[in-house]
Amino acid sequence: MLTMAQLFKVRLKQHYIRIYKVLESICDWSVWLYIIIPAIVIFIGFYREWWMELPQWAIDIPWDIVCLISITFIVCIVQIKILVEDADQVVLIQKPRWLLSLKRFGLAYSWFVLQLITLIVPLVLLPFLVQVSKWNAEHILMLVTYIAISSIIPLIVNHRLTIAASWWKKLLLQLLIFIINSCIIFVPIFLYLAHMLPYWIGITSFLIIALILIRNYAMTPLNFQQHLTIANESKLMFTQAILSQSMNLTSTSKRKKPILFKNSQRLSRRKDVGSIIGEIFIKSLMRDFNQLKVWLMFLSVSCFAVTQVPGYAPLAIIIFLAYIAFNLFNLQWELWCKQDFVSLYMKLVEQPLKARSAARNPLITLFILIWLIVATCMQLL
């Protein structure tokens, strides 16, 4: 017989297994090799340089306010995760004490995860906070303590003010809750930074309010149907957000007019099937906002990387970036060719490699041209 704590552990394990399977569907070895690992290495290099010497653009920015705004935004959008399932309607709904325990464990778990997430923000901005805003260990500890106590209030507020209504009513309510939560977190700490409110008064007030809300939350029965709907919507939104990076999830019943190539104009005068397939790939990439967004992010990060190296080093960086883009386009081409509609026409292509080159080379050439322009402008400046 499972205890209430063991039941929550089982649900939590199932939750992370579900997340792992969704991430595994798009994060194969190629994504780790060409995107995630290079991004981590580049960030570590930049982080090390920030500690050694701050860039000129970072000196005049109020990093303490940036840190507080970032943390406030995170705290205001996070909700309590109560791990209820459809099968609970048969068994656990007859045991209110078990559902109430899931609710309490959900608050403790969500609060703990929120502290880990918010802790990442000051750690990332630590070089700027120390060297520009002149923060020390005491300031960091005071901020962590303040967020640990005050973040309980937005968590419970988000939980209590959840309604089942039309989308525009939900949107207005969410906007109102976000404004209220922002004032709860940001206003007292801003007054403290302006020397208008003692720190201990804010901490004590938040602690009293948080204890009252926790007691009320722990004693209130769980609205099962409402939280089951929220849990299912959360799973669906997460799955759609992840899978939208690898496939088009647009419903076939609602087709929007594309921004580019609305009339399907030809890019070249070649009439062989391979060239036509290559053009279709380029147009599908330009029409898909999710894929276009990813490539624009890659282009912006790569251009920034080109500007951070001196002398003739940008040429080596450009060669390395072109190699990464070359392999990414090849992988994207292979995934695209496996789609049912495209695979029918790929059988008619006599030279598949030539078709891939016709789709890939113009895009890589455009990227290299942009990188060369950025590198040339930096040399002239």
Side-chain angles (χ1 to χ4, degrees):
M1 182 66 179
L2 287 175
T3 64
M4 290 177 284
Q6 290 173 340
L7 175 62
F8 181 78
K9 291 180 181 179
V10 170
R11 290 291 173 81
L12 193 60
K13 182 179 179 180
Q14 293 173 347
H15 171 68
Y16 280 108
I17 290 176
R18 187 184 302 112
I19 293 177
Y20 172 76
K21 289 182 178 180
V22 175
L23 294 175
E24 188 183 25
S25 63
I26 63 169
C27 293
D28 56 1
W29 66 269
S30 58
V31 176
W32 280 95
L33 181 61
Y34 295 114
I35 297 180
I36 299 179
I37 294 178
I40 294 175
V41 173
I42 292 174
F43 173 76
I44 292 175
F46 283 141
Y47 196 76
R48 180 175 175 272
E49 290 184 1
W50 293 341
W51 277 111
M52 297 174 61
E53 182 180 0
L54 284 179
Q56 189 65 31
W57 55 266
I59 297 177
D60 298 327
I61 298 178
W63 290 104
D64 47 358
I65 303 299
V66 172
C67 179
L68 292 174
I69 292 176
S70 302
I71 293 177
T72 302
F73 179 79
I74 295 173
V75 171
C76 291
I77 63 175
V78 172
Q79 294 187 349
I80 300 174
K81 183 171 290 297
I82 301 176
L83 303 175
V84 292
E85 301 287 349
D86 294 314
D88 294 340
Q89 298 182 72
V90 180
V91 180
L92 292 186
I93 202 170
Q94 300 176 6
K95 298 182 178 181
R97 289 182 62 254
W98 284 52
L99 288 175
L100 193 58
S101 297
L102 284 178
K103 182 182 177 184
R104 295 169 181 172
F105 283 128
L107 174 62
Y109 165 76
S110 301
W111 175 85
F112 178 74
V113 173
L114 178 59
Q115 305 316 304
L116 294 180
I117 296 174
T118 54
L119 189 60
I120 295 175
V121 177
L123 288 179
V124 172
L125 300 179
L126 194 57
F128 307 108
L129 293 174
V130 172
Q131 300 183 56
V132 178
S133 300
K134 305 302 179 183
W135 280 26
N136 52 33
E138 181 182 358
H139 291 105
I140 299 295
L141 181 60
M142 292 173 64
L143 174 65
V144 172
T145 305
Y146 175 82
I147 296 301
I149 297 176
S150 63
S151 60
I152 300 176
I153 301 175
L155 269 177
I156 299 179
V157 169
N158 289 336
H159 172 81
R160 295 297 299 270
L161 298 182
T162 302
I163 61 172
S166 55
W167 66 270
W168 63 271
K169 291 182 180 180
K170 285 185 177 180
L171 183 62
L172 291 177
L173 180 61
Q174 290 173 356
L175 180 61
L176 178 62
I177 294 174
F178 183 84
I179 295 174
I180 294 174
N181 289 337
S182 300
C183 294
I184 291 173
I185 299 296
F186 191 79
V187 171
I189 198 67
F190 181 80
L191 293 176
Y192 164 72
L193 293 176
H195 305 287
M196 299 176 62
L197 180 69
Y199 176 81
W200 65 270
I201 293 180
I203 285 292
T204 305
S205 302
F206 275 134
L207 182 60
I208 295 173
I209 297 173
L211 290 176
I212 295 174
L213 290 177
I214 290 173
R215 184 181 182 280
N216 181 266
Y217 173 88
M219 298 301 177
T220 305
L222 176 68
N223 188 338
F224 178 79
Q225 292 296 335
Q226 179 181 357
H227 291 92
L228 178 62
T229 303
I230 295 174
N232 291 334
E233 289 179 354
S234 177
K235 296 175 190 174
L236 181 61
M237 289 177 61
F238 174 77
T239 304
Q240 287 181 341
I242 295 298
L243 293 182
S244 64
Q245 305 303 317
S246 60
M247 63 182 68
N248 188 7
L249 300 178
T250 304
S251 174
T252 55
S253 61
K254 295 176 67 176
R255 291 289 183 181
K256 294 184 179 180
K257 204 168 186 179
I259 299 176
L260 301 174
F261 304 110
K262 296 181 180 180
N263 300 320
S264 298
Q265 303 97 331
R266 289 297 307 275
L267 300 178
S268 66
R269 296 182 180 180
R270 298 177 181 176
K271 297 182 179 180
D272 58 289
V273 181
S275 299
I276 295 175
I277 290 292
E279 290 186 16
I280 294 176
F281 172 77
I282 295 176
K283 292 178 181 179
S284 66
L285 176 63
M286 300 296 290
R287 287 174 171 176
D288 190 342
F289 176 74
N290 291 316
Q291 295 187 35
L292 191 61
K293 178 176 62 176
V294 172
W295 282 109
L296 289 176
M297 291 174 60
F298 171 75
L299 182 61
S300 61
V301 172
S302 59
C303 288
F304 180 72
V306 169
T307 62
Q308 298 301 303
V309 291
Y312 294 97
L315 296 177
I317 297 295
I318 290 174
I319 295 174
F320 176 69
L321 292 173
Y323 174 75
I324 294 177
F326 180 87
N327 288 278
L328 289 177
F329 275 121
N330 287 344
L331 292 171
Q332 196 169 24
W333 170 265
E334 293 176 1
L335 292 174
W336 183 73
C337 290
K338 292 179 181 179
Q339 298 182 19
D340 295 336
F341 179 78
V342 180
S343 61
L344 295 175
Y345 288 92
M346 286 301 299
K347 297 178 181 179
L348 305 176
V349 179
E350 298 179 356
Q351 297 178 329
L353 296 180
K354 184 177 180 182
R356 185 178 65 182
S357 299
R360 178 193 61 209
N361 293 344
L363 297 174
I364 294 181
T365 303
L366 177 62
F367 273 40
I368 293 176
L369 181 61
I370 294 175
W371 291 329
L372 289 174
I373 293 175
V374 172
T376 304
C377 292
M378 289 301 300
Q379 293 295 328
L380 294 177
L381 294 176

